[in-house]
Amino acid sequence: MSEPILTVFTKPWTGPLPQLADTVAGLGLQGVELPVRPGYQVTPETAAAGLPAAARTLAARGLSIRSIAGSIDEATVAACGEAGVPMIRICVAIDPAVGFRATVDDCRRRFDALLPALERHGVAIGIQNHSGAQIGSAAGVLYLIERYDPKHVCAVLDMAHCGVAGEPTDLAVDILSDRLRLVNFKSAYQRRLTAPEEEAVYKVHWTTHQHAAYSWRDFVQALRKVGYSGAWCLPAEYSHPSGKGQRMGDEVLPFLRGDIAHLKGLLGEVTEG
């Protein structure tokens, strides 16, 4: 395998881009997944100029934008192409008014319409599985994207969501192995909110590697087995102790540093067999 490229999803930080770049460089990472969303350093309205400018700012600190989390439209695709960003990552929520199949059909129509722009600008749409009322499994992602060339529409595998749903690591990697261009390393488990004698109510709790509902080591080994060569992203998602939302800003750093060190250690292990 080539030298792993480790990135972080910079959702926790909404401050100035130079400050963000310093923070990420200080973590010993090689790149970022940048949110292109309202309230962030680059917004959908400013993407045409803002994304190339952000790429230059990050490059000055030895970092690249390996993916963005944003909308899929021709303007965003063109901005990514201009900035040298290879992927727009999205999740697919199921519209309850029309159901699963109609949602998939609508997504495919949108992908089809964007294929010429994706080809022209050298950008891919990356579909990430997500728990809840969304396409949540590796099998579901494959069903959605199987007809497409991975250079246009590819897979982003997030084992935390698979772990919550009970999809085995080896199976998930095998299902998407020839379409994977990004993998997420974050952790979650179903936390029970009610007492044992009461009706069970659970909530997903986002945490650190040692409390994940799957094995980070097994995930790394499965990816090595299939020759995975894309980026390795740490989404920096940790539940806020209040129970509302996630930790934001530098509050994530103690947890993120521990996860980075653990992942680097796993990547440095020599796997026999």
Side-chain angles (χ1 to χ4, degrees):
M1 293 175 62
S2 57
E3 187 70 21
I5 296 173
L6 271 63
T7 70
V8 63
F9 183 28
T10 59
K11 180 181 176 181
W13 297 278
T14 58
L17 194 61
Q19 180 180 329
L20 170 63
D22 288 341
T23 297
V24 176
L27 290 168
L29 304 177
Q30 291 77 50
V32 304
E33 176 172 275
L34 197 70
V36 177
R37 297 173 176 173
Y40 282 90
Q41 297 86 2
V42 180
T43 67
E45 295 75 21
T46 65
L51 203 49
R56 291 191 294 271
T57 298
L58 289 159
R61 290 155 176 83
L63 304 168
S64 62
I65 305 175
R66 297 288 301 187
S67 54
I68 68 163
S71 58
I72 52 169
D73 53 60
E74 287 204 32
T76 304
V77 171
C80 285
E82 180 66 23
V85 178
M87 182 191 300
I88 304 171
R89 178 186 64 84
I90 66 169
C91 300
V92 177
I94 306 304
D95 183 348
V98 300
F100 178 81
R101 289 182 178 84
T103 298
V104 167
D105 289 343
D106 180 64
C107 283
R108 288 173 178 163
R109 283 190 291 269
R110 295 173 66 197
F111 298 162
D112 292 345
L114 282 170
L115 288 177
L118 295 170
E119 175 69 25
R120 186 164 60 251
H121 296 288
V123 176
I125 299 170
I127 312 301
Q128 182 210 304
N129 62 298
H130 197 290
S131 54
Q134 306 196 48
I135 293 183
S137 66
V141 171
L142 180 63
Y143 176 78
L144 173 63
I145 71 172
E146 191 168 18
R147 65 173 65 176
Y148 297 101
D149 189 319
K151 73 177 183 178
H152 297 139
V153 183
C154 61
V156 178
L157 181 56
D158 191 313
M159 276 308 305
H161 291 291
C162 292
V164 167
E167 189 173 29
T169 301
D170 286 348
L171 177 60
V173 172
D174 176 63
I175 288 169
L176 294 175
S177 60
D178 61 345
R179 298 168 190 276
L180 276 178
R181 289 183 59 182
L182 182 65
V183 291
N184 284 348
F185 277 78
K186 63 183 181 185
S187 304
Y189 63 87
Q190 292 275 19
R191 180 182 181 185
R192 182 165 179 150
L193 302 180
T194 53
E197 66 277 7
E198 297 174 358
E199 185 175 354
V201 177
Y202 293 90
K203 182 179 181 180
V204 175
H205 182 81
W206 297 96
T207 182
T208 49
H209 65 272
Q210 63 266 51
H211 304 297
Y214 71 101
S215 164
W216 283 34
R217 176 174 279 103
D218 288 351
F219 194 19
V220 169
Q221 290 179 345
L223 291 167
R224 280 182 159 159
K225 183 178 179 181
V226 300
Y228 174 72
S229 60
W232 309 64
C233 183
L234 294 109
E237 185 170 356
Y238 307 99
S239 292
H240 195 275
S242 68
K244 298 179 180 179
Q246 68 180 80
R247 297 177 186 268
M248 295 294 287
D250 289 351
E251 188 180 0
V252 307
L253 289 177
F255 309 99
L256 180 58
R257 288 192 181 104
D259 279 348
I260 291 170
H262 183 64
L263 180 55
K264 285 184 174 181
L266 294 175
L267 290 170
E269 290 179 356
V270 176
T271 304
E272 298 180 355

